[in-house]
Amino acid sequence: MQIFKDDTGTPRSLPMTDEHGNPVYNPEAEAARAELIEKLCAMPPIMSALDALLEHFGHETVAEVTGRTKRLITASDGRQKLESRSARTSQAEAAAFQAGRKRILVFSDAGGTGRSYHASLDAANQEQRVHLLLEPGWRADRAIQGLGRTHRTHQAATPLFRPVTTDCKGELRFTSTIARRLDSLGALTRGQRQTGGQGLFDPADNLESEYACAALLSWFDLLAAGKLASTSLDEFQHRTGLELVDKDGVLKDEMPPIQRWLNRILALPIALQNSIFDEFLALIETRVSAARDAGRLDVGVETILVDRATLIDDIILRTDPLTGATSHLLTIEIARRRNPVTLERILRIADGDASARFMINRKSGKSALRTRARALMEEKEGTPIPRVEMMRPTRNEYMREDDLYESSWEEVTRETFSTTWAGEVEAARQAVDSETIRLATGLLLPIWSALPSDHLAVNRIVDGEGRSWLGRLVFDDHVPPLFARLGIDRAEALPADAVVKAVTAGRSIDVSQPFPLTIKRSLVNGSPRIELVGCPHDRLPWLKSIGCFTEVIQYRTRVFVPVPSAETVLSGLFEEPS
């Protein structure tokens, strides 16, 4: 190619020719092309996923329901032959899978129309389906249609959905699009976001969400500041063709949208793709984790399955003057059994993860399987923050690696871990957790602004008898402000045990009795405390008399409540007249 400048002075290129008008070829490029063709032709052909499954498991085991009319199969003598297929063949294959004669089913868009492959109670094959979503494509409606073939009513077991991608992080671009469109389609068709996605994707998997867009801006800032380890600003602009800075070298006000950025990333080498995505996903995870901890993460409707639910109280919050529709605050007592992870399953997880370690807490004696989790990233300096996931019998926890080394967790042998884990599983199965919750339900839109803003999740409570309640959880400390905003004249004194429970969970509570103050959880020298903020200086002697204590920290007197006797102290505080 030869370079020239057009009328505006912009450099452009065009094919080079000699003095006779013949094209001039680069001999080095021609040699490289010939070498590449020779190498490609010497490599074995790569099978399609369908043919690879048929060859590995055998056509006697795999039921194929696709639209193709011919296929190559390997006979018993090792020779291949061409087999013709018709619509009747697909029907027979589907029937063989439902009858249990073939344990593996492969179907495509063409084979998924008008058919059911769920574990029907009327079918001989009632085993749980494990649905591997391979090559999902770009259309969410087709993805939902395919997933719906194995998940229907009148079934013996619900399926497990497993999206499949390779180690190339660029493929997250496709699953992200499916996640976003599944969520959007669920919101449009049924009025709730989780219905479309079926909880298949984590909020951090949607690379086009508000968290991802904000994380991309942070990524651009770190790139311009030269704080990313994956690439530099000049290299990234050269490889992707994206212009991020103006002529003065300052980031532009309007940056490329995230869809264009994701598409350009796909053109980069695999190793560079993975490095960039690791940093980008760490920024997303940081924002999603912060929103989840603060209770601001909107995940749509979450279903809480309980064994027993008893309605204790029903308070009408508002009645619409035009339609007569009502808003309610329900008090429900729920009881549910824990569903711990079995020892066999946790050992399978440990055997399949090279980073897994068996851990025991030397103080509590509890067990956990430590695995590597997605790292966070410090948004100003771009420093990665390594994290680990502690898998417990009934829950999962995330810890920073630095915090783990300073904790009481220590590595133990497989035998010690197995014994402790089995004991915790047996104890969890015997326990029944009972608690009382409050649920705002009914016509919520007119009172939405009066509901607490620090917990936005919408929950559905479903008990063992099939009864369900849909609404927003309202914690005990939110009830008095809710009544005040709605003008409800009802004395709702918050008991001391509820205050301790709420503060321990990290929520701050404003009270007016005996004087205006805020009760919150504070961290002093690494230890959590219950602090009273806003106490009048002339009431300090009385506060000490009921059990509080004070400390002067950074020239400021702070009032604390002893945690072991917090309920007794707070009860005395609330009983004192103003």
Side-chain angles (χ1 to χ4, degrees), residues 510-517 519 542 570 573-578:
D510 296 324
V511 298
S512 58
Q513 184 73 16
F515 42 78
L517 61 91
I519 307 174
W542 174 76
L570 292 178
L573 176 69
F574 297 151
E575 292 172 0
E576 177 71 10
S578 58

Side-chain angles (χ1 to χ4, degrees), residues 164-204:
V164 179
T165 59
T166 67
D167 293 337
C168 176
K169 297 294 180 64
E171 288 193 27
L172 295 175
R173 171 71 171 95
F174 304 100
T175 57
S176 168
T177 300
I178 292 297
R180 176 177 60 82
R181 295 183 181 180
L182 281 175
D183 291 341
S184 300
L185 191 59
L188 291 173
T189 56
R190 305 191 188 181
Q192 64 181 71
R193 288 164 296 284
Q194 197 188 33
T195 301
Q198 296 290 337
L200 191 63
F201 297 95
D202 187 84

Side-chain angles (χ1 to χ4, degrees), residues 105-169:
L105 170 69
V106 180
F107 70 93
S108 62
D109 288 342
T113 304
R115 300 184 185 274
S116 298
Y117 306 120
H118 63 293
S120 174
L121 296 174
D122 299 330
N125 182 7
Q126 297 183 9
E127 292 186 272
Q128 185 182 39
R129 273 55 168 162
V130 181
H131 193 148
L132 304 178
L133 182 61
L134 183 65
E135 298 177 358
W138 294 86
R139 292 190 56 178
D141 56 345
R142 292 186 178 179
I144 289 180
Q145 184 188 55
L147 297 176
R149 299 301 161 191
T150 54
H151 187 28
R152 299 196 169 191
T153 58
H154 196 63
Q155 61 186 2
T158 56
L160 298 177
F161 293 128
R162 294 289 182 263
V164 179
T165 59
T166 67
D167 293 337
C168 176
K169 297 294 180 64

Side-chain angles (χ1 to χ4, degrees), residues 197-209:
Q198 296 290 337
L200 191 63
F201 297 95
D202 187 84
D205 293 330
N206 187 350
L207 302 185
E208 300 174 46
S209 64

